[in-house]
Amino acid sequence: MAPKVLWIGLGNMGRKGDVEHPVLIYNRTKQKSVEFSEKFTTGQVEIIDSVTAGVAKADIIFTILAKDDVVESVAAEILEAVDVKGKLFVECSTIHPDTTVRVAKLFHDRGAEFVAAPVFGAPAKGEIGQLIGVLAGPKASVQKARQYFKGVMAKSEIDMSDQPYEKALQLKLIGNTFIANMVEQISETLVLSEKSGLGTQYMHDLIESLFPGPFADYSTRILSGAYHQMDYPLFPVDLARKDARHALSLAKACGVRMRNLEVADAHLAEVKEHDGAKGDIAGIYGAIRQESGLKYENN
């Protein structure tokens, strides 16, 4: 019999393959679960009203939550109310490695299995199977979790079977610095192109030719003005800064200086000041425009 799966958090995995049971979904903002469920046919997903009710019904529980303290509070809530013995918890949040180790121990001590499985890619990518999963933990547990990654919500995996949990989060946090540094670099070149009289279109054409994929996507997103027009950010400034803080703390502990990330984080602080919680990582462009004598908005 196929296991029952619960998905807790910001995004929800794509629905492919086995349909013996509906995927149980929970989000503290219930409307997000409702909107997600509308993308699927009747019977493929079931909205759950509480974390503990969902965990009690499920065999495998995926969590992808915004911040470390939220992950720990949800874990405490589950462990206080539910017998988790024999259940598998797959923790996909981007959190500090030390947080993952603490949470894993809590579940192990209660007889549950645990896999650290942070993912690269926005929640919408999971719906179309385009995430990259990083899975660490006991090999048998990782193998149970893998069936929901490649070919379901992920296009590829980095298998860290039998590696300590913290290594998956180290890779995730260090890997995420590419995003901040990429947005910083694109933004600087576009602002310089505008101010020098070259114009941004030629630079965008070059970016599309040289670096198709994420570079070109972010350049398009920046130039469209989405960073100051979106109702809800695609990569919220608070989450981007949280990831930067964690990466910088890892670097400091190792005696490494990440100057590029420090610059990007300083610009993210300006985005936060200008846009508040609605700020998006692409707002780095607006911050650089502003410090270069242009308006923050590019319209």
Coordinates of all heavy atoms in Angstrom, one line a residue, residues 143-214:
Q143 N 16.3 6.9 0.5 CA 15.7 6.1 -0.6 C 14.2 6.2 -0.5 O 13.5 6.3 -1.5 CB 16.1 4.7 -0.5 CG 17.6 4.5 -0.9 CD 17.9 5.0 -2.3 OE1 17.2 4.7 -3.2 NE2 19.0 5.8 -2.4
K144 N 13.6 6.2 0.7 CA 12.1 6.4 0.8 C 11.7 7.8 0.3 O 10.6 7.9 -0.3 CB 11.7 6.3 2.3 CG 11.8 4.9 2.8 CD 11.3 4.9 4.3 CE 11.4 3.5 4.9 NZ 11.0 3.5 6.3
A145 N 12.5 8.8 0.6 CA 12.1 10.2 0.2 C 12.3 10.4 -1.3 O 11.6 11.2 -1.9 CB 13.0 11.2 1.0
R146 N 13.3 9.7 -1.9 CA 13.7 10.0 -3.3 C 12.6 9.8 -4.3 O 12.5 10.5 -5.3 CB 14.9 9.2 -3.7 CG 16.2 9.7 -3.1 CD 17.4 8.9 -3.6 NE 17.6 9.2 -5.0 CZ 18.5 8.5 -5.8 NH1 19.1 7.5 -5.3 NH2 18.6 8.8 -7.1
Q147 N 11.7 9.0 -4.0 CA 10.6 8.7 -4.9 C 9.7 9.9 -5.2 O 9.0 10.0 -6.2 CB 9.7 7.5 -4.4 CG 9.0 7.8 -3.1 CD 8.2 6.6 -2.6 OE1 7.3 6.1 -3.3 NE2 8.5 6.2 -1.4
Y148 N 9.8 10.9 -4.3 CA 9.0 12.1 -4.5 C 9.8 13.3 -5.1 O 9.3 14.4 -5.2 CB 8.4 12.6 -3.1 CG 7.5 11.5 -2.6 CD1 8.0 10.6 -1.6 CD2 6.2 11.3 -3.0 CE1 7.2 9.6 -1.1 CE2 5.4 10.3 -2.5 CZ 5.9 9.4 -1.6 OH 5.1 8.4 -1.1
F149 N 11.1 13.0 -5.4 CA 11.9 14.1 -5.9 C 12.0 14.0 -7.4 O 11.1 14.4 -8.2 CB 13.3 14.1 -5.2 CG 13.2 14.7 -3.9 CD1 12.8 14.0 -2.8 CD2 13.5 16.1 -3.7 CE1 12.6 14.6 -1.5 CE2 13.4 16.7 -2.4 CZ 13.0 16.0 -1.3
K150 N 13.1 13.4 -8.0 CA 13.3 13.3 -9.4 C 12.1 12.7 -10.1 O 11.6 11.6 -9.7 CB 14.5 12.6 -9.7 CG 14.9 12.7 -11.2 CD 16.3 12.1 -11.5 CE 16.7 12.3 -12.9 NZ 18.0 11.7 -13.2
G151 N 11.5 13.4 -11.1 CA 10.4 12.9 -11.8 C 9.0 13.3 -11.2 O 8.0 13.1 -11.8
V152 N 9.1 13.9 -10.0 CA 7.8 14.4 -9.3 C 8.0 15.9 -9.1 O 7.4 16.6 -9.9 CB 7.6 13.6 -8.0 CG1 6.3 14.1 -7.3 CG2 7.5 12.1 -8.2
M153 N 8.7 16.3 -8.1 CA 8.8 17.7 -7.9 C 10.2 18.2 -8.3 O 10.4 19.4 -8.3 CB 8.5 18.1 -6.5 CG 9.4 17.6 -5.4 SD 9.0 18.2 -3.8 CE 10.1 17.3 -2.7
A154 N 11.1 17.3 -8.6 CA 12.5 17.7 -8.9 C 12.9 17.2 -10.3 O 12.5 16.2 -10.8 CB 13.4 17.2 -7.9
K155 N 13.8 18.0 -11.0 CA 14.4 17.6 -12.2 C 15.7 16.8 -12.0 O 16.1 16.0 -12.8 CB 14.6 18.7 -13.1 CG 15.6 19.8 -12.6 CD 15.8 20.9 -13.6 CE 16.8 21.9 -13.1 NZ 17.0 23.1 -14.0
S156 N 16.3 17.0 -10.8 CA 17.5 16.3 -10.4 C 17.7 16.3 -8.9 O 17.0 17.0 -8.2 CB 18.7 16.9 -11.1 OG 18.9 18.3 -10.7
E157 N 18.6 15.5 -8.5 CA 18.9 15.3 -7.1 C 20.4 15.3 -6.9 O 21.2 14.9 -7.7 CB 18.4 14.0 -6.5 CG 16.9 13.8 -6.7 CD 16.6 12.3 -6.6 OE1 17.5 11.4 -6.5 OE2 15.4 12.0 -6.5
I158 N 20.8 15.8 -5.7 CA 22.2 15.6 -5.2 C 22.0 14.6 -4.0 O 21.5 15.0 -3.0 CB 22.8 16.9 -4.8 CG1 22.9 17.8 -6.1 CG2 24.2 16.7 -4.2 CD1 23.4 19.2 -5.8
D159 N 22.5 13.4 -4.2 CA 22.3 12.4 -3.2 C 23.4 12.4 -2.2 O 24.6 12.1 -2.5 CB 22.2 11.0 -3.9 CG 21.9 9.9 -2.9 OD1 21.8 10.1 -1.7 OD2 21.6 8.8 -3.4
M160 N 23.1 12.7 -0.9 CA 24.1 12.8 0.1 C 23.8 11.7 1.2 O 23.9 11.8 2.4 CB 24.1 14.1 0.8 CG 24.7 15.2 0.0 SD 24.8 16.8 1.0 CE 25.8 17.8 0.0
S161 N 23.3 10.5 0.7 CA 23.0 9.4 1.6 C 24.2 9.1 2.5 O 25.3 9.1 2.1 CB 22.7 8.1 0.8 OG 21.5 8.3 0.0
D162 N 23.8 8.9 3.8 CA 24.7 8.6 4.9 C 25.7 9.7 5.2 O 26.6 9.5 6.0 CB 25.5 7.3 4.6 CG 24.6 6.0 4.6 OD1 23.6 6.0 5.4 OD2 25.0 5.1 3.9
Q163 N 25.4 10.9 4.7 CA 26.2 12.1 5.1 C 25.4 12.8 6.2 O 24.2 12.7 6.3 CB 26.4 13.0 3.9 CG 27.3 12.5 2.9 CD 28.7 12.4 3.4 OE1 29.3 13.3 4.0 NE2 29.3 11.2 3.1
P164 N 26.1 13.5 7.1 CA 25.5 14.2 8.2 C 24.5 15.2 7.6 O 24.7 15.8 6.5 CB 26.6 15.0 8.9 CG 27.8 14.2 8.5 CD 27.6 13.7 7.1
Y165 N 23.4 15.4 8.3 CA 22.3 16.3 7.9 C 22.8 17.7 7.5 O 22.4 18.3 6.6 CB 21.2 16.5 9.0 CG 20.5 15.2 9.3 CD1 20.5 14.7 10.5 CD2 19.8 14.5 8.3 CE1 19.8 13.5 10.8 CE2 19.1 13.4 8.6 CZ 19.1 12.8 9.8 OH 18.5 11.7 10.1
E166 N 23.8 18.2 8.3 CA 24.2 19.6 8.1 C 24.8 19.8 6.8 O 24.8 21.0 6.3 CB 25.2 20.0 9.2 CG 26.4 19.2 9.4 CD 26.3 18.1 10.4 OE1 25.2 17.6 10.6 OE2 27.3 17.8 11.1
K167 N 25.4 18.8 6.1 CA 26.0 19.0 4.8 C 25.0 19.4 3.8 O 25.3 20.2 2.9 CB 26.8 17.7 4.4 CG 28.0 17.5 5.2 CD 28.9 16.4 4.5 CE 30.2 16.2 5.3 NZ 31.1 17.4 5.3
A168 N 23.8 18.9 3.8 CA 22.8 19.4 2.9 C 22.5 20.8 3.0 O 22.3 21.6 2.0 CB 21.5 18.5 3.0
L169 N 22.4 21.3 4.2 CA 22.1 22.7 4.5 C 23.3 23.6 4.1 O 23.1 24.8 3.7 CB 21.6 23.0 5.9 CG 20.2 22.7 6.2 CD1 19.3 23.5 5.3 CD2 19.8 21.2 6.0
Q170 N 24.5 23.1 4.4 CA 25.7 23.9 3.9 C 25.7 24.1 2.4 O 25.9 25.2 2.0 CB 27.0 23.1 4.4 CG 27.2 23.1 5.9 CD 28.3 22.2 6.3 OE1 28.8 21.3 5.4 NE2 28.8 22.3 7.5
L171 N 25.4 23.0 1.7 CA 25.3 23.2 0.2 C 24.2 24.1 -0.2 O 24.4 25.0 -1.1 CB 25.1 21.8 -0.4 CG 25.0 21.8 -1.9 CD1 26.3 22.4 -2.6 CD2 24.7 20.4 -2.5
K172 N 23.1 24.0 0.5 CA 22.0 24.9 0.1 C 22.3 26.4 0.4 O 22.1 27.2 -0.5 CB 20.7 24.5 0.9 CG 19.5 25.5 0.8 CD 19.0 25.7 -0.6 CE 17.8 26.5 -0.6 NZ 17.4 27.0 -1.9
L173 N 22.8 26.7 1.5 CA 23.1 28.1 1.9 C 24.3 28.6 1.0 O 24.2 29.8 0.5 CB 23.5 28.2 3.3 CG 22.3 27.9 4.3 CD1 22.8 27.8 5.7 CD2 21.3 29.0 4.2
I174 N 25.3 27.9 0.8 CA 26.4 28.4 0.0 C 25.9 28.5 -1.5 O 26.3 29.4 -2.2 CB 27.6 27.4 0.1 CG1 28.2 27.5 1.6 CG2 28.7 27.9 -0.8 CD1 29.2 26.4 1.8
G175 N 25.1 27.5 -1.9 CA 24.6 27.6 -3.3 C 23.7 28.8 -3.5 O 23.7 29.4 -4.6
N176 N 22.9 29.1 -2.5 CA 22.1 30.3 -2.6 C 22.8 31.6 -2.8 O 22.2 32.6 -3.2 CB 21.1 30.4 -1.4 CG 19.8 29.8 -1.7 OD1 19.6 29.0 -2.6 ND2 18.8 30.1 -0.9
T177 N 24.1 31.6 -2.4 CA 24.8 32.9 -2.6 C 25.0 33.2 -4.1 O 25.2 34.3 -4.4 CB 26.2 32.8 -1.9 OG1 27.1 31.9 -2.6 CG2 26.1 32.5 -0.4
F178 N 24.9 32.2 -4.9 CA 25.0 32.4 -6.4 C 23.9 33.3 -6.8 O 24.0 34.2 -7.7 CB 24.9 31.1 -7.1 CG 26.1 30.3 -7.2 CD1 26.2 29.1 -6.5 CD2 27.3 30.7 -7.9 CE1 27.4 28.3 -6.6 CE2 28.4 30.0 -7.9 CZ 28.5 28.7 -7.3
I179 N 22.7 33.1 -6.2 CA 21.5 33.9 -6.6 C 21.7 35.4 -6.2 O 21.5 36.3 -7.1 CB 20.2 33.4 -5.9 CG1 20.0 31.9 -6.3 CG2 19.0 34.2 -6.4 CD1 18.9 31.2 -5.6
A180 N 22.1 35.7 -5.0 CA 22.3 37.1 -4.6 C 23.4 37.7 -5.4 O 23.3 38.9 -5.9 CB 22.6 37.1 -3.1
N181 N 24.5 37.0 -5.6 CA 25.6 37.5 -6.4 C 25.2 37.8 -7.8 O 25.6 38.8 -8.4 CB 26.8 36.6 -6.3 CG 27.4 36.6 -4.9 OD1 27.2 37.5 -4.1 ND2 28.2 35.5 -4.6
M182 N 24.4 36.9 -8.4 CA 24.0 37.0 -9.8 C 23.1 38.2 -9.9 O 23.3 39.0 -10.9 CB 23.2 35.7 -10.2 CG 22.6 35.8 -11.5 SD 21.7 34.3 -12.0 CE 20.4 34.3 -10.7
V183 N 22.2 38.4 -9.0 CA 21.3 39.6 -9.1 C 22.1 40.9 -8.9 O 21.8 41.9 -9.6 CB 20.1 39.5 -8.1 CG1 19.3 40.8 -8.1 CG2 19.3 38.3 -8.3
E184 N 23.0 40.9 -8.0 CA 23.9 42.0 -7.8 C 24.7 42.3 -9.1 O 24.7 43.5 -9.5 CB 24.9 41.7 -6.7 CG 25.9 42.8 -6.4 CD 25.3 44.0 -5.8 OE1 24.3 43.9 -5.1 OE2 25.9 45.1 -6.0
Q185 N 25.2 41.3 -9.7 CA 26.0 41.5 -10.9 C 25.2 42.1 -12.1 O 25.6 43.0 -12.8 CB 26.8 40.3 -11.3 CG 27.7 40.4 -12.5 CD 28.4 39.1 -12.8 OE1 28.0 38.0 -12.5 NE2 29.6 39.2 -13.4
I186 N 24.0 41.4 -12.3 CA 23.1 41.9 -13.4 C 22.7 43.3 -13.2 O 22.7 44.1 -14.1 CB 21.9 40.9 -13.5 CG1 22.3 39.5 -13.9 CG2 20.9 41.5 -14.4 CD1 21.2 38.5 -13.8
S187 N 22.3 43.6 -11.9 CA 21.8 44.9 -11.6 C 22.9 46.0 -11.8 O 22.6 47.1 -12.4 CB 21.4 45.0 -10.2 OG 20.3 44.1 -10.0
E188 N 24.1 45.7 -11.4 CA 25.2 46.7 -11.6 C 25.5 46.9 -13.1 O 25.6 48.1 -13.5 CB 26.5 46.2 -11.0 CG 26.5 46.2 -9.4 CD 27.8 45.7 -8.8 OE1 28.7 45.3 -9.6 OE2 27.9 45.7 -7.6
T189 N 25.5 45.9 -13.9 CA 25.7 46.1 -15.3 C 24.6 46.8 -16.0 O 24.8 47.6 -16.9 CB 26.0 44.7 -16.0 OG1 24.9 43.9 -15.9 CG2 27.2 44.0 -15.5
L190 N 23.4 46.5 -15.6 CA 22.2 47.2 -16.2 C 22.2 48.7 -15.9 O 21.9 49.6 -16.7 CB 20.9 46.6 -15.8 CG 20.7 45.2 -16.4 CD1 19.4 44.6 -15.8 CD2 20.6 45.2 -18.0
V191 N 22.5 49.0 -14.6 CA 22.6 50.4 -14.2 C 23.7 51.1 -14.9 O 23.5 52.3 -15.5 CB 22.7 50.6 -12.7 CG1 23.0 52.0 -12.3 CG2 21.5 50.0 -12.0
L192 N 24.9 50.5 -15.0 CA 26.0 51.2 -15.7 C 25.6 51.3 -17.2 O 26.0 52.4 -17.8 CB 27.2 50.3 -15.6 CG 28.5 50.8 -16.4 CD1 28.8 52.2 -16.0 CD2 29.7 49.9 -16.2
S193 N 25.0 50.4 -17.8 CA 24.6 50.5 -19.2 C 23.7 51.7 -19.4 O 23.8 52.4 -20.4 CB 23.9 49.2 -19.7 OG 24.8 48.1 -19.6
E194 N 22.7 51.8 -18.5 CA 21.8 53.0 -18.6 C 22.5 54.3 -18.5 O 22.4 55.2 -19.3 CB 20.7 52.9 -17.6 CG 19.7 54.0 -17.7 CD 18.4 53.8 -16.9 OE1 18.2 52.7 -16.4 OE2 17.7 54.8 -16.7
K195 N 23.4 54.4 -17.4 CA 24.0 55.7 -17.1 C 25.1 56.1 -18.1 O 25.3 57.2 -18.3 CB 24.6 55.7 -15.7 CG 23.5 55.6 -14.6 CD 23.8 56.4 -13.4 CE 23.9 57.9 -13.7 NZ 24.1 58.7 -12.5
S196 N 25.7 55.1 -18.7 CA 26.8 55.4 -19.7 C 26.2 55.8 -21.1 O 27.0 56.2 -21.9 CB 27.6 54.1 -19.9 OG 26.9 53.1 -20.5
G197 N 24.9 55.6 -21.3 CA 24.3 55.9 -22.5 C 24.2 54.7 -23.5 O 23.6 54.8 -24.6
L198 N 24.7 53.6 -23.1 CA 24.6 52.4 -23.9 C 23.1 51.9 -24.0 O 22.7 51.5 -25.0 CB 25.5 51.3 -23.3 CG 25.3 49.9 -23.9 CD1 25.8 49.8 -25.4 CD2 26.1 48.8 -23.1
G199 N 22.4 52.0 -22.9 CA 21.1 51.5 -22.8 C 21.0 50.1 -22.3 O 22.0 49.3 -22.5
T200 N 19.9 49.7 -21.7 CA 19.8 48.4 -21.1 C 19.5 47.3 -22.1 O 19.8 46.1 -21.9 CB 18.7 48.4 -20.0 OG1 17.5 48.8 -20.6 CG2 19.1 49.3 -18.9
Q201 N 18.9 47.6 -23.3 CA 18.4 46.5 -24.2 C 19.6 45.8 -24.7 O 19.6 44.5 -24.8 CB 17.6 47.1 -25.3 CG 17.0 46.0 -26.2 CD 16.1 45.0 -25.4 OE1 15.2 45.5 -24.7 NE2 16.3 43.7 -25.6
Y202 N 20.7 46.5 -25.1 CA 21.8 45.8 -25.7 C 22.5 44.9 -24.7 O 22.9 43.8 -25.0 CB 22.8 46.8 -26.2 CG 22.4 47.6 -27.4 CD1 22.4 49.0 -27.5 CD2 21.9 46.9 -28.6 CE1 21.9 49.7 -28.6 CE2 21.4 47.6 -29.7 CZ 21.5 49.0 -29.7 OH 21.0 49.7 -30.8
M203 N 22.5 45.4 -23.4 CA 23.1 44.5 -22.4 C 22.2 43.3 -22.1 O 22.7 42.2 -21.9 CB 23.3 45.3 -21.1 CG 23.9 44.5 -19.9 SD 25.5 43.7 -20.3 CE 26.5 45.2 -20.6
H204 N 20.9 43.5 -22.1 CA 20.0 42.4 -21.9 C 20.2 41.4 -23.1 O 20.2 40.1 -22.8 CB 18.6 42.9 -21.9 CG 17.6 41.7 -21.8 ND1 17.4 41.0 -20.6 CD2 16.7 41.2 -22.7 CE1 16.5 40.1 -20.8 NE2 16.0 40.2 -22.0
D205 N 20.3 41.8 -24.3 CA 20.5 40.9 -25.4 C 21.8 40.1 -25.2 O 21.8 38.9 -25.6 CB 20.6 41.7 -26.7 CG 19.3 42.4 -27.1 OD1 18.3 42.0 -26.6 OD2 19.3 43.3 -28.0
L206 N 22.9 40.8 -24.7 CA 24.1 40.0 -24.5 C 23.9 39.0 -23.4 O 24.4 37.9 -23.5 CB 25.2 41.0 -24.1 CG 26.6 40.4 -23.7 CD1 27.2 39.7 -24.9 CD2 27.6 41.4 -23.2
I207 N 23.2 39.3 -22.3 CA 23.0 38.4 -21.2 C 22.2 37.2 -21.7 O 22.6 36.0 -21.4 CB 22.2 39.1 -20.1 CG1 23.1 40.1 -19.4 CG2 21.7 38.1 -19.1 CD1 22.4 41.0 -18.4
E208 N 21.2 37.4 -22.6 CA 20.4 36.3 -23.1 C 21.3 35.4 -24.0 O 21.1 34.2 -24.0 CB 19.3 36.8 -23.9 CG 18.1 37.4 -23.1 CD 16.9 37.6 -24.0 OE1 17.0 38.1 -25.1 OE2 15.8 37.2 -23.5
S209 N 22.3 36.0 -24.7 CA 23.1 35.2 -25.6 C 24.2 34.5 -24.8 O 24.5 33.3 -25.1 CB 23.8 36.1 -26.6 OG 22.8 36.7 -27.5
L210 N 24.8 35.1 -23.8 CA 25.9 34.5 -23.1 C 25.4 33.6 -22.0 O 26.0 32.5 -21.8 CB 26.8 35.6 -22.5 CG 27.9 36.3 -23.3 CD1 28.6 37.3 -22.4 CD2 28.9 35.2 -23.7
F211 N 24.4 34.0 -21.3 CA 24.0 33.3 -20.1 C 22.4 33.0 -20.1 O 21.7 33.5 -19.3 CB 24.3 34.1 -18.8 CG 25.7 34.5 -18.7 CD1 26.0 35.9 -18.8 CD2 26.7 33.6 -18.6 CE1 27.4 36.3 -18.7 CE2 28.0 34.0 -18.5 CZ 28.4 35.3 -18.5
P212 N 22.0 32.2 -21.1 CA 20.6 31.8 -21.1 C 20.2 31.0 -19.9 O 21.1 30.3 -19.3 CB 20.4 31.0 -22.4 CG 21.8 30.4 -22.6 CD 22.7 31.5 -22.2
G213 N 19.0 31.2 -19.4 CA 18.6 30.5 -18.2 C 18.4 31.5 -17.0 O 17.8 32.6 -17.3
P214 N 18.9 31.2 -15.9 CA 18.7 32.1 -14.7 C 19.1 33.5 -14.9 O 18.4 34.5 -14.5 CB 19.4 31.4 -13.6 CG 19.5 30.0 -14.0 CD 19.6 30.0 -15.4

